[in-house]
Amino acid sequence: MKKNNLKGSLILCLASLLWGLAFVVQNRAADKIPPFAFNCIRSFIGAAFLLCLMAIMSVKNRDFVIVPKTINKKLLITGSVVCGTMLAISTNFQQFGIAAYPNGVPIEARSGFLTALYVIIVPILSVFARKKVPAIVWGSAIVALSGFYMLCLFEGVSGFYVADILVLGCTVAFSLHIIVIDKYCDLIGGVRLSAFQFIVCAVLSGVMSLIFERDLISVSKIASVIPEVLYMGVVSSGIAFTLQTVGQKYAEPAVASLTMSLESVFAALGGWLITGNALKVNEIIGCLLVFAAIVLAQVPEFAKKGHRQ
């Protein structure tokens, strides 16, 4: 039993708020610097923050950053490379998608809710691991598709953009990333794995930036996104991740998943309140359907909780 479900939920809600607002930050950065360069810098900052956090907390002996005492170096390298590669693929798909949306599109809401579909895709992908998928998850997938239609296809094919395909590519990659994280996390330690996967992501993104964006980056452009990369590296990757780690100590898994899915809602609200990207009626309906699908996908976890009690 968790010690304090409400306390955990509030902490996770704050983490979701920080992650949701990250979509606003990413949208602003997309106008200033190419995607690979942006993800390279933010990932290095995120890795540095988490490594410093590990060093400080190990001295203070805080239990939420405790890692296995003995770690196989080969396992650490393998896990970091695999997870970091999937993270690089997902974050760059997402940033390219955000940058590709035309003016007038509610970018934060659209990309936020499409990304959140990983909650449904992850259990569906488990079919390939020969795991049984509850019927309600398949039902939630149908609801999600209905929401996707209202969000992206209600006005016809002209309302479906290349950017949507890129963000959906991010969603699939992020779903695979969650699966490999689950494989290595307990063996390596959550914070340590995150720090090293950010390093791998930064290196891969940096190499791609040097190959494809050499003529598009400059010192002035990098300087122009300092607030954005600091938010993404320190706040989104560092502080929010730490809040997630602490919050999950107290909240039940089902409650934790549901609370973190509020990220998409905060993305839409942030886009509306900060950048003025209001939603049309069909887009609001689409967002509501996608969120309903996300909630439905959590029902099996709630059922497990009730069965354990």
Side-chain angles (χ1 to χ4, degrees):
M1 291 293 293
K2 299 293 181 178
K3 297 177 182 178
N4 192 324
N5 213 35
L6 177 60
K7 179 180 179 179
S9 296
L10 291 175
I11 294 173
L12 291 171
C13 188
L14 178 56
S16 299
L17 172 62
L18 298 179
W19 281 324
L21 294 178
F23 284 93
V24 179
V25 175
Q26 287 178 259
N27 187 22
R28 289 187 174 183
D31 296 328
K32 301 177 183 179
I33 193 171
F36 286 129
F38 176 71
N39 281 321
C40 172
I41 300 170
R42 63 171 277 198
S43 296
F44 268 128
I45 293 175
F49 181 91
L50 290 174
L51 288 172
C52 289
L53 178 69
M54 283 180 60
I56 294 171
M57 292 297 103
S58 63
V59 172
K60 293 181 176 292
N61 195 29
R62 298 285 183 175
D63 61 350
F64 73 89
V65 295
I66 280 181
V67 296
K69 293 182 179 180
T70 57
I71 296 177
N72 185 304
K73 290 185 178 179
K74 184 178 180 180
L75 181 65
L76 174 61
I77 293 172
T78 301
S80 299
V81 170
V82 172
C83 296
T85 299
M86 293 311 306
L87 180 64
I89 293 171
S90 61
T91 55
N92 283 298
F93 260 116
Q94 186 181 66
Q95 192 64 20
F96 269 99
I98 289 174
Y101 277 114
N103 293 330
V105 174
I107 297 173
E108 296 85 2
R110 200 168 178 123
S111 58
F113 276 95
L114 290 181
T115 300
L117 289 174
Y118 71 83
V119 175
I120 298 161
I121 293 177
V122 168
I124 291 177
L125 286 177
S126 65
V127 169
F128 296 98
R130 298 181 179 180
K131 293 182 180 180
K132 184 178 179 181
V133 177
I136 197 165
V137 173
W138 294 110
S140 68
I142 295 174
V143 176
L145 286 174
S146 301
F148 176 78
Y149 171 82
M150 295 299 293
L151 192 60
C152 302
L153 295 171
F154 183 75
E155 297 177 352
V157 179
S158 60
F160 184 69
Y161 306 105
V162 172
D164 292 321
I165 298 175
L166 292 171
V167 175
L168 287 172
C170 153
T171 306
V172 174
F174 191 50
S175 300
L176 294 171
H177 175 253
I178 290 172
I179 292 172
V180 294
I181 281 285
D182 183 63
K183 178 180 179 179
Y184 291 104
C185 188
D186 290 339
L187 300 174
I188 298 174
V191 177
R192 174 175 285 170
L193 177 59
S194 290
F196 281 97
Q197 74 168 352
F198 276 128
I199 293 174
V200 173
C201 179
V203 171
L204 292 176
S205 298
V207 170
M208 297 302 287
S209 180
L210 289 174
I211 295 173
F212 297 107
E213 300 173 346
R214 184 186 296 270
D215 298 330
L216 301 176
I217 55 177
S218 63
V219 175
S220 60
K221 285 187 176 181
I222 293 174
S224 70
V225 292
I226 288 177
E228 285 84 358
V229 293
L230 285 176
Y231 183 92
M232 297 303 299
V234 175
V235 179
S236 181
S237 300
I239 296 175
F241 173 84
T242 304
L243 289 172
Q244 176 194 2
T245 306
V246 175
Q248 287 183 311
K249 286 176 55 182
Y250 301 103
E252 292 287 348
V255 176
S257 298
L258 185 57
T259 305
M260 287 187 289
S261 70
L262 289 173
E263 171 189 355
S264 57
V265 177
F266 288 129
L269 291 175
W272 172 48
L273 295 173
I274 298 174
T275 64
N277 286 333
L279 296 171
K280 299 177 183 176
V281 174
N282 65 286
E283 291 169 336
I284 293 174
I285 295 173
C287 289
L288 290 174
L289 286 171
V290 170
F291 186 68
I294 293 170
V295 173
L296 282 174
Q298 310 304 316
V299 169
E301 191 63 41
F302 277 104
K304 289 180 184 178
K305 172 189 171 184
H307 179 72
R308 287 194 299 267
Q309 291 177 339

